[in-house]
Amino acid sequence: MSADTINSISEFLLHAGTEYKVFDIGRRLTIIDNQSFLDIESGNAYAPLPRQQHAWFGIVFWNKQSSTEHYIWFVKLPIDEQGLVVTAARNHFLDIIVDALGQSIIEDTEKAQTLPDNPYSFVPNQALLAQFNALVKHTLSQPLSDEAKQVEAYIQAPQLVDWQQLSMQSVADFAFSLPTHSHQYRLEEAFINNANLYSDVFLNTFMEMLEYVPLSKPVETFVLQRFFQKAQYDDINLAALRALSSNEFNKQLHCELKSILNKDISTRLDVLSVIAARHYEQMDNELLTLFLTQAAKADESEGHAGALFSGFFSDLVQVPKLRRQVLTLLRSPDRPAVLAKAFNQLFAQTGK
């Protein structure tokens, strides 16, 4: 097998005799079917969830004859201004893996786990790695570990379990099991009723691990009421804000984000970053205008000379569902003065 006869990462994995599943780990964490991944990596379909001008993937593969061991590549591929993967970069990565592995991926799958240094591989942060591992286990129908069952016990009786013995991975495993758990409603009720008894560290970790898990209405309402719906609040619980992430428009969440973006606290970089990364689905024209206005104010007040605003603009304009809205706002005569100034500065920098 050589780079001359292999035309895609998908084809390499198939020719190597592996079974594989691909997960998009850009703005959300979600499984994508193999044909969609082929279309994306080949530049025939937009990367649906890009961030930082890249498409991000976790590829899990295993030998068809021995499915007990699973191996992972974390791959980020640059995308162009239209949101399509740069196929020259994909081909470069393909050359690297074919030159390094040849056909050994099926003969010695473990060798394929450690690729040569290259600009396309990356290591997720601890939280994302825990979430990814949890989703893979859930997707492959692996049973809940004993450690995850300890999280379940802590949820129900926090006074009887030492939370400090619970790892982030076990919390993630439990969180991803919750929507299909046979005792989902009982556990959610226990979580809501016992929330005041949990360690703050555990509570924040659990909410962070929920960001890619669909929340039931009772849990969603609890998080909103507990952390956001106050007459006055001087801080934002970022873990709760991440937990509320949704892959569809949510009117109640949209209104809450609008309230947040009308407060001075929303010019904080961490708050803006979570909203941009996790709540793009809520961005109608009004919310998008509010967000970019606050980003422009933050850029100006912190003296970033347009770099912060440019980063958020470049990031959002490559999200396929937001691209038209962002470009329309760019040309709108009704945009706020601070936003018009930021766009003018962006044009001036681009033209240099």
Side-chain angles (χ1 to χ4, degrees), residues 55-346:
W56 304 71
F57 302 105
I59 304 172
V60 180
F61 59 95
W62 59 95
N63 189 319
K64 287 181 181 179
Q65 282 73 46
S66 176
S67 61
T68 56
E69 294 292 336
H70 295 81
Y71 304 93
I72 302 170
W73 287 342
F74 291 109
V75 182
K76 60 174 184 175
L77 298 173
I79 59 176
D80 62 21
E81 65 280 356
Q82 292 182 310
L84 297 172
V85 164
V86 178
T87 54
R90 189 279 312 270
N91 293 341
H92 183 211
F93 176 69
L94 192 57
D95 288 342
I96 291 168
I97 60 176
V98 171
D99 289 346
L101 302 175
Q103 298 184 46
S104 67
I105 189 171
I106 191 168
E107 297 160 1
D108 182 7
T109 318
E110 190 166 1
K111 180 181 176 183
Q113 179 82 332
T114 306
L115 292 174
D117 288 341
N118 67 86
Y120 310 105
S121 297
F122 69 99
V123 178
N125 63 42
Q126 184 183 11
L128 181 55
L129 186 58
Q131 293 165 315
F132 176 82
N133 287 335
L135 178 57
V136 170
K137 292 174 188 176
H138 184 69
T139 302
L140 297 178
S141 301
Q142 295 179 351
L144 205 58
S145 67
D146 289 341
E147 195 175 14
K149 290 177 182 176
Q150 281 295 99
V151 178
E152 183 177 323
Y154 181 71
I155 289 286
Q156 297 176 90
Q159 65 273 38
L160 301 180
V161 178
D162 182 4
W163 67 269
Q164 296 182 77
Q165 301 302 310
L166 306 175
S167 68
M168 179 180 287
Q169 185 62 64
S170 66
V171 176
D173 291 345
F174 171 75
F176 276 80
S177 76
L178 192 55
T180 56
H181 199 292
S182 57
H183 301 301
Q184 175 190 1
Y185 301 113
R186 188 179 74 193
L187 290 166
E188 289 177 344
E189 184 178 19
F191 167 65
I192 293 169
N193 292 337
N194 294 332
N196 289 329
L197 303 176
Y198 299 139
S199 151
D200 287 343
V201 173
F202 171 82
L203 188 59
N204 285 330
T205 300
F206 183 53
M207 288 192 298
E208 186 176 357
M209 294 303 101
L210 285 172
E211 71 178 324
Y212 301 122
V213 176
L215 301 185
S216 68
K217 196 63 181 176
V219 173
E220 177 189 283
T221 300
F222 166 76
V223 174
L224 278 167
Q225 291 177 344
R226 169 76 182 265
F227 296 101
F228 295 102
Q229 292 180 349
K230 303 174 184 177
Q232 295 288 331
Y233 49 79
D234 299 321
D235 201 2
I236 296 291
N237 184 302
L238 295 176
L241 190 59
R242 291 174 68 169
L244 291 168
S245 172
S246 175
N247 62 0
E248 58 186 25
F249 184 81
N250 181 313
K251 185 175 181 180
Q252 186 178 14
L253 176 57
H254 173 269
C255 291
E256 194 58 46
L257 290 171
K258 186 163 62 173
S259 176
I260 291 172
L261 286 169
N262 272 306
K263 297 178 185 295
D264 290 339
I265 196 172
S266 68
T267 58
R268 271 176 32 188
L269 178 57
D270 54 359
V271 175
L272 288 170
S273 296
V274 172
I275 293 175
R278 302 292 177 250
H279 296 292
Y280 61 94
E281 293 283 1
Q282 314 308 320
M283 288 193 181
D284 60 4
N285 292 333
E286 180 184 15
L287 199 64
L288 178 64
T289 301
L290 265 175
F291 175 84
L292 287 175
T293 298
Q294 294 299 75
K297 289 179 180 178
D299 189 299
E300 193 172 76
S301 64
E302 298 294 329
H304 290 289
L308 187 148
F309 179 83
S310 175
F312 281 122
F313 172 84
S314 300
D315 197 41
L316 292 178
V317 78
Q318 288 189 315
V319 178
K321 71 167 297 174
L322 289 182
R323 183 174 177 82
R324 183 184 296 273
Q325 286 175 248
V326 175
L327 294 177
T328 298
L329 179 59
L330 179 67
R331 305 181 185 93
S332 172
D334 301 323
R335 60 198 181 188
V338 66
L339 194 50
K341 180 180 177 182
F343 279 136
N344 290 335
Q345 188 174 18
L346 181 65

